[in-house]
Amino acid sequence: MANNTEVKATAKYVRMAPRKVRMVVDQIRNKSVDKALEVLQFSTRAAAEPVAKVLRSAVANAENNNNLRADNLVVKYAYVDEGPTLKRIRPRAKGSASRINKRTSHITVVVAPGKEA
């Protein structure tokens, strides 16, 4: 097994605005998996739950598919891309309407064996 093996997991079409999810993802980048999960567990932001789920999935992929040990994995990359936006309309005064954009996110987490940065 190569030492620089990177394992990734992705959650697509998560019904949260990418801007809000990025605030959580920025907190776990370059941390060990244990520390990252701890940060997510005690985060008050709603986006912490789907991000933790993706991180656990990446760790499970590393253990099952690449025979890596979870205790020495590090979050190498973590990023959020914008998914399709659901466009909704809210009635306003004088018969007009305004648009509400319900944004979605694609969350990607890449873990690799190594030292915490």
Side-chain angles (χ1 to χ4, degrees), residues 21-22 24-32 36 74-80 108 116-117:
V21 181
R22 281 188 192 112
V24 173
V25 166
D26 290 343
Q27 293 179 325
I28 65 164
R29 204 172 284 122
N30 297 326
K31 287 192 166 48
S32 69
V74 173
V75 179
K76 191 164 184 184
Y77 306 113
Y79 55 91
V80 181
T108 306
E116 187 174 344

Side-chain angles (χ1 to χ4, degrees), residues 22-61:
R22 281 188 192 112
M23 295 170 105
V24 173
V25 166
D26 290 343
Q27 293 179 325
I28 65 164
R29 204 172 284 122
N30 297 326
K31 287 192 166 48
S32 69
V33 169
D34 295 337
K35 193 171 263 189
L37 284 169
E38 195 173 300
V39 167
L40 293 171
Q41 183 183 350
F42 293 105
S43 174
T44 55
R45 298 198 166 269
E49 197 176 318
V51 172
K53 196 171 181 180
V54 177
L55 179 56
R56 280 193 220 99
S57 176
V59 171
N61 290 344

